[in-house]
Amino acid sequence: MKNLMAAGTKCLLIHPWVSKNCLLNYPEVCTLTGAKFPTPPLGLLTIAALLPDKWELKLLDANVETMREHHFEWADIVFTGGILSQQLEILSIIAQAHTHGKKVVVGGLDPSAQPQIYKEADYLIVGEGENTIPLLLRDLENGLETGVYSSSEKPEMRDAVVPRFDLVRHQDYLMMGLQYTRGCPYNCEFCNVIEVFGRKSRPKTTQQVLKELQTLYDLGYRGRIFFVDDNFFGDRQSVKDLLRAIAEWSRSRRYPFFFAASATINLADEEEILSLAQAAEFRYINFGIETPDNAVLDTMQKKQNLNRSIPETIRKFSEHGMVVDASLNLGFDGETERTADSMIRLLQESGISMALVGTLFALPGTQLTKRLISEGRMKDESIVQKDRELDVDHMTSGLNFSTLRPREEILQDYINVLAAIYAPVNYYERVLRTGLALKVSGNYRPTPNMLLKNFIVFLKVCYKAGFSRKTGKLLWKTLFIILLKNPRALEPVTSLIAMYSHLYRNAHQTIGLTKKKLDALEQLS
Ligand code: B12
Ligand code: SF4
């Protein structure tokens, strides 16, 4: 075997292709803004930073650039990995690398949850890279041909390195991702990330985060930064210091960035954190609502959501300049025939425009999956992807277990919810509600180039939606009211309107697929 630890080893890191059918891929919005994909693969950029300086690295994002033979010919070793939706692609990359006689290292969430599926990989990383890549490099040094690496300890984020942001062209992406913490202190039964990253929030230090921001700034990036943490605000104490520091850092650089992050719904009770987040230019927040039913929330162990008024919660975020998007699912145990209607009402009343509604998917390794297997409602834990276009997420392949409520009823409710919330009149009603309630602080300063780009996007959105029979009247009415009553909300409102072309297409595609599933069930009965 070639000495892979030699200077000049050529390492190709491949981010596998992801289907445009994934709800969170928004190709329409990417096209509108000239981007090719939502965010760069932060996992691979982080792994890249852990590899020897003497290696030559190339990152190939197959969602941005077509993967070709010459890429494999160039490489001495290939690194790849990702999530369940990328399973078939990862397996195909392993096969292609082997055809070219190259060694492959595989890691990421799906290989960590289902290592048995990736047996063909030469080296397999199970879990996080920070404490396993050194073990892999030691074995490469010793000439070992294969290996599986895992660690019972979770790495301290205080030792984490700055991801190699320089390996991607930021112009190819809608936003850049940054990570502050791993792990989440809550215990939702269906959650797969607590199984991999643990139930303790492990934050980086404030200095580390500022260093990462400075790196992006020095690389010339400006605009939206998405904190990819599952629960950015999980460590209530340290996040306050970080938010103060980000506000200070941003002020001294004329606010080059604004931020998006994930939270839990009970953040609405933390007035001080909300104010600090607003001052630091946090403008988009997402969280899991899951279901409107308290009893169902209790069963799924989502205690932090119990007995809360969602419209009140959303108002709190709007008052602090934050647009909320939320995810919900159908198919939980304990749901009734009234759940779907309550869901639609809740979304309309709270004005959550981007509502990511799916059907429950039991992921490998979760408490939910273990319970379903013990109750005889799921055969085994392995999830094998069959169709790379369709078998991609909880929108297309959820309910992978025996449901308590008749499956036909859940699927019909799913169709009804999607059709209702993404009907033009209802979507625009929610956008208007959000736009009127939003108190935008407006410190963020786009560069002249970005202002021009935003203006062009605005014109494109007006042209596309404003002259369509479906949305024309609604668009002009919404813009007119916003300009009259809350002009500072024009930018987020335009973003939500731009997002509609994707959400509408995706909802109708999902409705079509769900109808096919219903027809198939009918034929069986
Ligand atoms: C940011 C994010 C996104 C972003 C960007 C995704 C991207 N392509 O980079 C957006 C919003 C676009 C997105 C979309 C989707 N996402 Co997403 N996303 C996340 C999130 C919140 C953070 C991922 C991240 O960047 N982490 C930070 C990096 C540093 O950590 P990491 O990737 O885990 O990497 C570490 C290790 O895993 C390992 N590692 C990772 N890769 C590799 C590779 C090699 C070779 C090696 C050795 C090691 C290794 O080392 C790293 C350092 O320790 C996760 C939740 C989570 N905690 O994982 C969900 C998550 C990954 N997403 C998920 C899903 C389902 C999706 C969608 C399918 C949703 C949808 N319905 O459309 C789409 C897929 C489309 C897409 N574009 O990828 C699920 C995946 C479930 C699963 N097990 O398969 C997660 C876990 C959310 C959840 N709670 O269920 N997502
Ligand atoms: S709050 Fe989110 S990240 Fe935390 S356990 Fe629940 S689903 Fe998982």
Side-chain angles (χ1 to χ4, degrees):
M1 181 173 103
K2 184 177 170 165
N3 176 11
L4 290 168
M5 289 306 282
T9 288
K10 296 190 178 73
C11 171
L12 178 65
L13 300 124
I14 309 181
H15 181 223
W17 176 89
V18 187
S19 166
K20 303 262 181 290
N21 289 330
C22 287
L23 175 69
L24 291 182
N25 245 352
Y26 15 92
E28 290 85 351
V29 184
C30 290
T31 311
L32 206 58
T33 58
K36 294 179 179 157
F37 198 63
T39 66
L42 194 55
L44 278 177
L45 297 185
T46 305
I47 292 296
L50 297 165
L51 298 177
D53 290 341
K54 58 188 178 183
W55 281 12
E56 199 183 323
L57 307 183
K58 174 172 170 55
L59 187 118
L60 169 68
D61 185 344
N63 301 283
V64 162
E65 182 187 352
T66 310
M67 199 164 69
R68 299 195 190 281
E69 296 279 308
H70 69 83
H71 290 121
F72 290 96
E73 283 157 12
W74 172 85
D76 295 314
I77 183 165
V78 174
F79 279 61
T80 190
I83 63 176
L84 180 61
S85 318
Q86 293 167 310
Q87 192 184 89
L88 283 175
E89 295 300 306
I90 302 172
L91 294 174
S92 148
I93 292 167
I94 298 173
Q96 288 180 68
H98 284 166
T99 308
H100 289 85
K102 308 298 159 88
K103 290 280 184 192
V104 193
V105 182
V106 166
L109 277 185
D110 198 46
S112 296
Q114 318 198 75
Q116 73 283 4
I117 290 180
Y118 299 90
K119 283 198 295 274
E120 293 302 317
D122 302 286
Y123 307 96
L124 186 65
I125 299 271
V126 176
E128 297 169 63
E130 285 75 4
N131 52 2
T132 46
I133 291 289
L135 308 177
L136 163 76
L137 297 178
R138 187 201 56 200
D139 277 4
L140 291 182
E141 187 82 61
N142 293 331
L144 264 71
E145 300 264 359
T146 58
V148 177
Y149 308 89
S150 64
S151 160
S152 50
E153 297 287 306
K154 305 264 179 261
E156 277 299 337
M157 295 301 280
R158 279 193 295 276
D159 305 326
V161 284
V162 178
R164 288 286 305 272
F165 296 116
D166 58 302
L167 292 176
V168 289
R169 256 174 45 93
H170 58 73
Q171 296 84 342
D172 289 335
Y173 300 94
L174 273 182
M175 57 196 148
M176 295 300 276
L178 215 75
Q179 188 172 41
Y180 168 45
T181 64
R182 286 192 199 147
C184 171
Y186 295 102
N187 192 25
C188 307
E189 190 194 30
F190 58 84
C191 178
N192 64 325
V193 296
I194 46 172
E195 306 303 333
V196 183
F197 301 109
R199 285 197 48 212
K200 186 170 165 266
S201 183
R202 285 174 286 140
K204 291 177 183 167
T205 63
T206 296
Q207 285 317 312
Q208 280 174 293
V209 177
L210 294 186
K211 192 170 167 195
E212 295 193 20
L213 286 176
Q214 187 64 43
T215 305
L216 285 174
Y217 183 84
D218 292 343
L219 286 167
Y221 181 68
R222 302 291 182 269
R224 180 169 172 144
I225 290 191
F226 174 30
F227 274 104
V228 302
D229 315 29
D230 296 300
N231 183 0
F232 179 82
F233 305 89
D235 184 329
R236 297 283 202 247
Q237 211 37 52
S238 68
V239 80
K240 289 184 194 165
D241 296 338
L242 177 67
L243 290 170
R244 283 191 195 96
I246 292 180
E248 189 52 45
W249 182 93
S250 298
R251 190 165 35 247
S252 60
R253 286 160 188 78
R254 304 194 70 238
Y255 294 94
F257 302 137
F258 63 98
F259 301 93
S262 301
T264 44
I265 206 164
N266 53 358
L267 184 69
D269 304 337
E270 306 280 346
E271 180 59 42
E272 188 188 356
I273 298 185
L274 289 180
S275 300
L276 290 170
Q278 181 173 25
E281 284 294 305
F282 277 64
R283 293 185 169 197
Y284 293 90
I285 293 290
N286 66 73
F287 49 63
I289 291 178
E290 315 307 344
T291 176
D293 296 341
N294 265 315
V296 182
L297 286 169
D298 202 28
T299 313
M300 72 175 84
Q301 298 162 197
K302 203 158 183 119
K303 309 279 184 209
Q304 67 274 25
N305 284 31
L306 282 175
N307 303 317
R308 303 196 70 93
S309 154
I310 302 293
E312 271 303 306
T313 303
I314 303 300
R315 196 165 315 132
K316 256 291 169 48
F317 283 96
S318 304
E319 280 166 6
H320 290 86
M322 291 174 234
V323 176
V324 172
D325 63 71
S327 50
L328 299 96
N329 281 296
L330 283 160
F332 287 109
D333 288 358
E335 260 172 32
T336 68
E337 65 285 356
R338 290 185 304 278
T339 304
D341 282 345
S342 316
M343 206 177 250
I344 298 168
R345 232 182 0 262
L346 174 149
L347 290 169
Q348 290 307 124
E349 279 170 16
S350 5
I352 299 172
S353 312
M354 250 187 96
L356 315 175
V357 183
T359 46
L360 181 62
F361 195 119
L363 281 163
T366 57
Q367 298 172 65
L368 172 69
T369 297
K370 291 192 174 81
R371 174 167 69 80
L372 291 170
I373 291 175
S374 75
E375 290 172 2
R377 293 166 60 193
M378 226 174 132
K379 277 198 206 74
D380 80 275
E381 236 177 285
S382 274
I383 300 179
V384 179
Q385 206 192 358
K386 294 186 193 80
D387 182 325
R388 65 176 213 148
E389 282 284 359
L390 292 180
D391 235 359
V392 288
D393 60 14
H394 62 316
M395 319 289 298
T396 54
S397 33
L399 304 185
N400 56 337
F401 54 92
S402 301
T403 53
L404 287 188
R405 213 155 56 100
R407 185 173 287 264
E408 293 84 340
E409 264 179 48
I410 302 174
L411 293 177
Q412 189 55 55
D413 278 351
Y414 187 35
I415 293 174
N416 296 346
V417 172
L418 288 180
I421 64 171
Y422 288 117
V425 64
N426 289 340
Y427 185 80
Y428 273 84
E429 182 187 288
R430 300 202 298 281
V431 172
L432 187 58
R433 187 157 285 174
T434 302
L436 289 176
L438 210 58
K439 299 214 169 89
V440 180
S441 66
N443 285 325
Y444 162 65
R445 293 273 168 276
T447 58
N449 252 352
M450 291 184 80
L451 271 177
L452 180 66
K453 199 171 150 190
N454 289 349
F455 183 62
I456 294 172
V457 168
F458 176 73
L459 292 181
K460 282 189 194 166
V461 169
C462 289
Y463 179 74
K464 228 180 141 199
F467 297 104
S468 131
R469 211 181 294 158
K470 199 171 68 204
T471 52
K473 272 195 197 141
L474 295 164
L475 174 110
W476 299 119
K477 183 179 143 205
T478 308
L479 289 183
F480 179 73
I481 299 177
I482 291 298
L483 280 170
L484 202 71
K485 299 198 167 166
N486 191 10
R488 299 186 87 171
L490 185 63
E491 198 247 74
V493 162
T494 310
S495 296
L496 291 173
I497 294 175
M499 195 52 97
Y500 185 55
S501 54
H502 165 65
L503 293 170
Y504 182 84
R505 197 248 321 142
N506 194 282
H508 282 271
Q509 176 181 297
T510 310
I511 288 173
L513 284 170
T514 312
K515 279 187 177 154
K516 277 191 192 150
K517 285 186 198 168
L518 267 177
D519 289 346
L521 282 175
E522 242 164 55
Q523 274 170 17
L524 275 180
S525 61

